[in-house]
Amino acid sequence: MRIGLVINPIAGMGGAVGLKGTDGPDTVAEALRRGANAKAGDRAYTALRLLADRVPGARLAVAPGQLGADWVQDLDLDTTTVEIPNITTTARDTKQAVLAMGDLDVIVFAGGDGTARDVASVAGDRAILGIPCGVKMHSGVFAVTPQAAGAMMADMISAPERVGWNDSAEVMDIDEEALRKGILAPRLYGFARIPASRSLMQAAKGGPRQDATTSLASAAAAVVAEMEEETLYIIGPGTSASSIAQAVNETATPLGVDAMLGGKVVARDASDATLRELAKGHDIRIVLGVTGRQGFLLGRGNQQIAPDMISRAGRDGLIILATEDKLTALAQPQLLVDTGDPELDASLEGFVRVSTGANRQMMMRIASC
């Protein structure tokens, strides 16, 4: 199995500083101005280190410089660097690297939905696999964590007979025009071939299901009724979590993180620094939704909530809202966390109650990836 690797070095930079992605030079400049740090290379290195440990000497084609080659120098991997002209850290680099990798079987990329679109647009019949590095990843082409991506790469090289394939993984990205109107609407851009792992399904138990809008509104109202006056409530992005703000007649940020104190929204589209300042002298609780069929609670679209803040809240400080339909449609019957801190992820493991409506809950298990 012949594999190529390309890294989008700016992917995910905007997460901690409250941006929704890093598409375009203006957004990158703004992320840097706000103090953002590049993390895609480190996350790619995590995957590659696991690959090198499991399959020493594994052969890879890599993009040049910070797009790949810089991150494999001290690893026991047999790499060949492809050539592309004039690295610009734009979508052009990604596409040129994929094209330069010729007829390789699989293109592994480190990035987010924008990178997935770029890779898929020129990959042709080749399979792709994403190392998750973006802000919020809607596409179905990503491994759940960098470690999982490394393990899948190892299997593809050392035991290809164990790898299944899915020819209809969705490549999606946020519809920017809809977002400007305040509507969070991921858009389907096409399908890609990916290596696939086995998944399980879980059916809900309980009474008749409610309309999704009604159930979320009633769940949110119940949460608001129990809010403590001096506790800071950090509200994650997405429809489920934002229903909390709507329950107090406030407008939520579709792709951002808001904060509530004393029953009022005290910050919209907050950055890590803003949340830290607001949290001084207060207990913390974090309101989260569930990301699509992927099942992520943390690590997709809410990187503004730093690991140490999550640790302060703890598993008991997580308030989770989701519809019954969303929970039963999960690819795996569990909720996933990928905070970037493996010890924190492990500490969050266990069973939690997910509010699906007024006086309606489902028990779900949080798992680290």
Side-chain angles (χ1 to χ4, degrees), residues 213-227:
T213 302
T214 301
S215 63
L216 280 180
S218 61
V223 170
V224 169
E226 296 180 0
M227 281 186 169

Side-chain angles (χ1 to χ4, degrees), residues 117-136:
R117 286 175 57 190
D118 295 334
V119 172
S121 70
V122 293
D125 294 333
R126 290 174 288 178
I128 68 176
L129 170 64
I131 301 171
C133 301
V135 176
K136 187 167 187 178

Side-chain angles (χ1 to χ4, degrees), residues 10 12-19 22 26-39 271-274 276 303-304:
I10 62 172
M13 282 180 59
V17 294
L19 298 176
T22 43
D26 293 341
T27 309
V28 174
E30 178 61 18
L32 292 171
R33 188 189 69 78
R34 296 187 187 186
N37 295 312
K39 297 182 179 180
S271 66
D272 171 38
T274 299
R276 290 179 185 279
Q303 289 93 334
Q304 302 93 316

Side-chain angles (χ1 to χ4, degrees), residues 313-333:
R315 188 177 70 223
D316 291 341
L318 303 181
I319 301 172
I320 306 166
L321 291 87
T323 64
E324 293 176 4
D325 284 341
K326 178 172 282 190
L327 294 177
T328 57
L330 293 177
Q332 302 179 61

Side-chain angles (χ1 to χ4, degrees), residues 94-314:
T94 299
K95 294 177 181 179
Q96 289 291 328
V98 173
L99 290 170
M101 290 173 181
D103 60 352
L104 297 180
D105 300 298
V106 183
I107 303 298
V108 177
F109 67 93
D113 281 329
T115 315
R117 286 175 57 190
D118 295 334
V119 172
S121 70
V122 293
D125 294 333
R126 290 174 288 178
I128 68 176
L129 170 64
I131 301 171
C133 301
V135 176
K136 187 167 187 178
M137 287 153 281
H138 296 274
S139 299
V141 301
F142 294 98
V144 291
T145 63
Q147 293 91 334
M152 294 181 76
M153 292 168 69
D155 281 348
M156 284 189 285
I157 292 173
S158 65
E161 71 279 0
R162 296 209 306 250
V163 180
W165 299 93
N166 174 6
D167 291 320
S168 57
E170 296 175 340
V171 178
M172 304 186 73
D173 202 356
I174 291 297
D175 187 325
E176 297 293 340
E177 183 176 346
L179 183 60
R180 283 191 289 269
K181 300 176 182 177
I183 302 171
L184 177 57
R187 176 181 170 188
L188 177 64
Y189 284 88
F191 298 91
R193 188 169 197 251
I194 61 168
S197 60
R198 186 177 179 182
S199 63
L200 301 173
M201 300 291 290
Q202 173 179 290
K205 296 180 180 180
R209 297 183 179 184
Q210 301 177 356
D211 168 77
T213 302
T214 301
S215 63
L216 280 180
S218 61
V223 170
V224 169
E226 296 180 0
M227 281 186 169
E228 299 172 355
E229 189 74 13
E230 292 301 319
T231 295
L232 180 72
Y233 291 83
I234 298 173
I235 316 296
T239 303
S240 299
S242 65
S243 62
I244 297 292
Q246 295 166 6
V248 292
N249 296 316
E250 296 272 11
T251 301
T253 308
L255 284 182
V257 171
D258 300 334
M260 290 181 62
L261 183 64
K264 298 180 180 179
V265 175
V266 294
R268 289 186 172 85
D269 206 5
S271 66
D272 171 38
T274 299
L275 295 175
R276 290 179 185 279
E277 186 64 28
L278 289 170
K280 291 179 179 178
H282 297 284
D283 290 334
I284 298 173
R285 302 202 72 182
I286 303 172
V287 182
L288 299 168
V290 178
T291 303
R293 289 172 297 175
Q294 302 164 346
F296 277 97
L297 287 178
L298 293 162
R300 298 295 185 270
N302 46 33
Q303 289 93 334
Q304 302 93 316
I305 312 173
D308 61 317
M309 297 284 280
I310 298 167
S311 181
R312 279 182 59 182

